[in-house]
């Protein structure tokens, strides 16, 4: 499949899903949202891909929904608005049922709906220029999916502070590392190579074992400790 808003590549067992709308800070318009669902499915189904790296072109990683399109063409976003209402979003790997390992490589600002891609990745690395913020409450919208998932991988107070402060609170890459939102911070010009190196290490492992491990780990967030351990025996 050809893409207008994404670049989808493969090399040495690694699939690359690259946001490619830099002129709009990689904001989600309706076409990009459609393409994301298709690209996740394509890479997940490819037997030669064992790990997926989600990266972005330009200075921003992703700034969430395209507010210009939302304001000017409500019909274009109607399907995705309905999906948001019905908890049927198809933006991130987790939302699309991808059980291959996913690495997010965050190069710049990640805001609002872009946080789906960070919250739902398995591993996140960031450039030292990266930053994270959630402006929902600043425009009269409640924060839900992204912050809830981030609060499972980071101290809740820090995520609550970001969510409640809106545009006024921006988490730097270093602070995100301290909070456990990202596992590594690298210079911007080393981000892609660092992501590729990590992905190649992951790709050396048995895919089915990694799928089962990912399912067990994510399932553990849904249930208590004892039940998660019992269920893991079936998932593994």
């Amino acid at each position: 499949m050809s893409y207008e808003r994404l670049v989808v590549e493969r090399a040495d067992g690694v699939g690359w899903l690259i946001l490619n709308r830099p002129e709009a800070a990689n904001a989600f318009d309706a076409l990009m949202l459609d393409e994301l669902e298709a690209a996740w499915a394509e890479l997940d189904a490819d037997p030669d891909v064992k790990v997926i790296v989600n990266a972005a072109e330009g200075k921003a990683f992703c700034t969430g929904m395209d507010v210009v399109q939302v304001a000017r063409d409500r019909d274009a976003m109607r399907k995705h608005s309905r999906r948001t209402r019905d908890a049927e979003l198809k933006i991130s790997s987790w939302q699309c049922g991808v059980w291959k390992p996913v690495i997010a490589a965050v190069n710049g600002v990640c805001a609002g709906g872009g946080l789906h891609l960070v919250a739902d990745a398995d591993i996140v690395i960031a450039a030292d220029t990266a930053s994270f913020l959630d402006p929902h409450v600043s425009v009269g919208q409640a924060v839900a999916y992204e912050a809830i998932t981030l609060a499972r991988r980071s101290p809740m107070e820090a995520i609550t502070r970001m969510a409640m402060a809106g545009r006024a609170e921006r988490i730097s890459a270093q602070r995100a590392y301290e909070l456990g939102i990202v596992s590594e911070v690298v210079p911007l010009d080393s981000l892609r190579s660092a992501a590729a190196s990590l992905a190649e290490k992951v790709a050396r492992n048995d895919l089915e074992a990694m799928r089962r491990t990912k399912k067990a780990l994510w399932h553990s967030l849904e249930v208590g400790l004892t039940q998660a351990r019992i269920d893991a025996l079936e998932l593994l």
Side-chain angles (χ1 to χ4, degrees):
M1 177 176 173
S2 60
Y3 298 93
E4 294 183 35
R5 300 289 193 258
L6 308 173
V7 174
V8 176
E9 300 175 334
R10 301 158 178 80
D12 301 320
V14 180
W16 289 81
L17 193 165
I18 303 170
L19 308 183
N20 190 31
R21 200 178 176 224
E23 73 283 356
N26 291 311
F28 300 134
D29 66 355
L31 178 57
M32 182 184 279
L33 290 170
D34 288 338
E35 290 188 351
L36 277 167
E37 182 179 5
W40 285 122
E42 179 183 323
L43 291 172
D44 194 40
D46 188 335
D48 294 326
V49 172
K50 298 179 73 175
V51 58
I52 302 170
V53 178
N54 179 201
E57 296 290 353
K59 296 181 179 180
F61 179 71
C62 180
T63 52
M65 293 298 172
D66 184 339
V67 295
V68 174
Q69 185 176 63
V70 171
R72 294 180 179 175
D73 187 0
R74 291 184 178 275
D75 287 340
M77 284 291 196
R78 194 171 300 281
K79 177 179 73 173
H80 301 289
S81 296
R82 184 176 65 252
R83 283 183 163 183
T84 300
R85 181 198 65 197
D86 297 339
E88 295 175 350
L89 289 170
K90 297 293 183 181
I91 295 172
S92 71
S93 54
W94 182 85
Q95 292 164 356
C96 292
V98 175
W99 293 111
K100 291 178 178 178
V102 173
I103 300 168
V106 183
N107 56 306
V109 64
C110 178
L115 292 169
H116 284 292
L117 299 172
V118 169
D120 293 349
D122 302 303
I123 303 169
V124 184
I125 65 174
D128 51 13
T129 56
S131 62
F132 306 83
L133 71 150
D134 196 329
H136 280 96
V137 297
S138 297
V139 294
Q141 297 178 344
V143 181
Y145 305 109
E146 308 95 309
I148 289 169
T149 307
L150 283 172
R152 294 297 185 97
R153 66 195 303 167
S154 176
M156 183 172 177
E157 189 276 340
I159 301 305
T160 301
R161 174 172 169 162
M162 177 177 70
M164 296 301 181
R167 290 186 180 132
E169 183 77 6
R170 188 181 291 249
I171 296 177
S172 68
Q174 181 57 37
R175 182 59 176 154
Y177 173 77
E178 294 166 358
L179 293 170
I181 297 171
V182 308
S183 61
E184 183 179 6
V185 177
V186 300
L188 176 60
D189 60 4
S190 301
L191 180 63
R192 289 285 180 93
S193 61
S197 177
L198 176 58
E200 288 165 8
K201 292 176 184 176
V202 173
R204 295 175 194 152
N205 298 314
D206 181 79
L207 177 57
E208 186 56 30
M210 291 192 293
R211 280 183 181 273
R212 292 177 178 177
T213 299
K214 176 171 176 173
K215 286 183 177 181
L217 290 172
W218 278 92
H219 178 73
S220 72
L221 298 178
E222 306 281 352
V223 299
L225 176 60
T226 299
Q227 191 61 48
R229 288 176 169 174
I230 293 170
D231 293 345
L233 297 176
E234 296 181 5
L235 292 170
L236 297 177

